[in-house]
Amino acid sequence: MSQPVHHLVTGAGSGIGSVVAQRLLARGDQVWALVRTPGRAPAGCIEVLADLGDADALERIGDLDAWPERLDSVVHAAGVVELGPVAELTASAWQSQLAVNLVAPALLTRALLPRLRAAQATVVFVNSGSGLRANPAWAAYSASKFGLRALADALREEEPLIRVTSVFPGRTATAMQEKVHGQEGKEYVAGRWIRPETVADAILSAIDLPRDATVPEIAIRPGG
Ligand SMILES: NC(=O)c1ccc[n+]([C@@H]2O[C@H](COP(=O)([O-])OP(=O)(O)OC[C@H]3O[C@@H](n4cnc5c(N)ncnc54)[C@H](OP(=O)(O)O)[C@@H]3O)[C@@H](O)[C@H]2O)c1
């Protein structure tokens, strides 16, 4: 009998993370879903409650009894956005975006490294087009995502047993994008943007790639 396959997905309660978690569950894999609100994980997941803005809690997260000995993949999908020009961005807006989008994936990955090495895992960082170029009003979010790319690049060189993929989606039709439209004062029409299912396809393709290859980066833009 083949070994069970284990994944951790953050941000599994909504948007891109939720679709990834449900896809993995549907094919019979075991999914640990990191969420901050009880009951938010898709049914069938093993729910791990954590606030990714709480670095002290993340320092201890590797100690949880719940983790499997081997983790085949981690998909870091949780993220937050708060737009504003540099002239107006508050310390709290900077800190929350850097904490959730950058520091949390680093601490979580560090905590799980022995289990990831044991499985020769694939670690996927859900980055953003904003991690490749910074536009006006996007300084804090972009800084967190530029940093996330640096984290991925360094990890890839440090950990020869682990495959590391950064995924850079353009605007995707999720609650986050609806919020961004509100902050930009624009009308939100979900059908204009990438479907979260399409981003999930790209993430799964990186996880499922045969072991003789790795995809360091995938950029996805709205098509049509
Ligand atoms: N949507 C886009 O246009 C777009 C484009 C490029 C990249 N991305 C990236 O894609 C990823 C997924 O975002 P999405 O579009 O799927 O948005 P989403 O539906 O808003 O999902 C974000 C998830 O992150 C979770 N999260 C936020 N803060 C957290 C915290 N402190 N602790 C634990 N979980 C937390 C949220 O949990 P709650 O439900 O509890 O808030 C939510 O489940 C993000 O990294 C985002 O930066 C999105």
Side-chain angles (χ1 to χ4, degrees):
M1 229 170 72
S2 57
Q3 285 195 13
V5 183
H6 306 290
H7 311 272
L8 169 65
V9 182
T10 74
S14 65
I16 296 165
S18 172
V19 179
V20 170
Q22 290 177 63
R23 290 263 177 87
L24 294 169
L25 278 175
R27 68 195 205 185
D29 294 353
Q30 279 207 294
V31 180
W32 277 254
L34 191 148
V35 293
R36 57 178 160 175
T37 311
R40 193 96 162 99
C45 291
I46 300 161
E47 199 167 72
V48 179
L49 283 178
D51 179 351
L52 293 175
D54 182 348
D56 290 339
L58 291 177
E59 292 283 5
R60 299 184 301 273
I61 201 158
D63 302 338
L64 288 182
D65 291 336
W67 299 121
E69 272 177 35
R70 297 159 33 95
L71 251 182
D72 296 279
S73 85
V74 178
V75 178
H76 293 282
V80 287
V81 64
E82 200 68 52
L83 300 188
V86 175
E88 289 170 20
L89 275 171
T90 61
S92 142
W94 276 101
Q95 281 159 355
S96 60
Q97 290 174 90
L98 290 168
V100 174
N101 298 353
L102 175 57
V103 177
L107 295 181
L108 194 54
T109 302
R110 188 193 67 193
L112 298 171
L113 269 178
R115 300 169 203 280
L116 295 168
R117 291 184 189 124
Q120 301 200 358
T122 304
V123 177
V124 178
F125 294 99
V126 182
N127 203 298
S128 167
S130 301
L132 298 171
R133 72 204 150 265
N135 290 316
W138 289 79
Y141 180 77
S142 275
S144 71
K145 294 295 192 177
F146 271 65
L148 188 64
R149 187 192 202 190
L151 164 62
D153 290 351
L155 183 69
R156 189 180 300 114
E157 298 301 318
E158 289 169 4
E159 296 289 336
L161 294 179
I162 295 172
R163 299 194 297 192
V164 178
T165 301
S166 287
V167 177
F168 301 88
R171 292 182 187 244
T172 303
T174 66
M176 176 182 282
Q177 191 51 236
E178 193 166 0
K179 175 182 172 184
V180 164
H181 274 68
Q183 293 187 347
E184 293 174 324
K186 293 181 184 161
E187 183 198 2
Y188 176 65
V189 181
R192 288 187 186 147
W193 308 118
I194 306 166
R195 294 162 57 245
E197 289 78 6
T198 308
V199 180
D201 285 342
I203 292 169
L204 292 182
S205 75
I207 292 173
D208 292 339
L209 196 73
R211 287 250 24 125
D212 58 321
T214 182
V215 216
E217 298 192 338
I218 304 174
I220 313 167
R221 303 209 177 122

